[in-house]
Amino acid sequence: MVLHIPPHFWVPESPFVDCPDTIKLLHSYANVKAVFHGHDHSLDAVFYTDKLPHFFDAHIGGNWGTAYKGCRIVEVDDNDQIRTCQVNASGSPLLNETNLIKSKTYF
């Protein structure tokens, strides 16, 4: 799932209010495995609402956010294992790599 603005705010600079109904909706679908956001350019990590990961990818353009310009790569293998990492396009290539483990309760 891709949402530009997250339904929960993890940074104090965010002027938005939490949207618990949206979070509940995302959790109600078994086929939603992760949510990707781009609005909070100062974030380049993964945050969770219960077991659902929310990924942020810093910024690739613009003039505010992380100190580097980057993007997130997501790979899903033949066994439905997910690997994601942050790429620093302006320096060292990989940052905050995450492997999501497939389990009966999660995937």
Side-chain angles (χ1 to χ4, degrees):
M1 170 71 64
V2 177
L3 296 175
H4 181 75
I5 298 173
H8 177 77
F9 64 92
W10 284 278
V11 294
E13 300 84 16
S14 180
F16 303 101
V17 180
D18 279 341
C19 301
D21 291 339
T22 302
I23 293 171
K24 183 178 178 182
L25 179 67
L26 292 171
H27 285 258
S28 72
Y29 287 93
N31 61 340
V32 174
K33 306 301 184 195
V35 185
F36 296 87
H37 306 284
H39 184 76
D40 292 321
H41 299 284
S42 61
L43 299 176
D44 63 355
V46 59
F47 298 90
Y48 291 85
T49 55
D50 291 330
K51 293 182 180 180
L52 185 63
H54 295 257
F55 290 98
F56 292 84
D57 62 358
H59 72 113
I60 193 72
N63 61 358
W64 72 277
T66 56
Y68 67 94
K69 296 189 186 300
C71 62
R72 179 169 295 282
I73 295 175
V74 178
E75 299 172 337
V76 181
D77 69 17
D78 293 336
N79 297 317
D80 293 330
Q81 299 295 312
I82 301 171
R83 178 182 175 266
T84 179
C85 62
Q86 188 69 16
V87 175
N88 180 348
S90 57
S92 302
L94 296 182
L95 303 170
N96 62 52
E97 188 173 354
T98 304
N99 292 308
L100 300 177
I101 307 301
K102 184 177 178 182
S103 71
K104 291 181 181 178
T105 58
Y106 191 67
F107 289 101

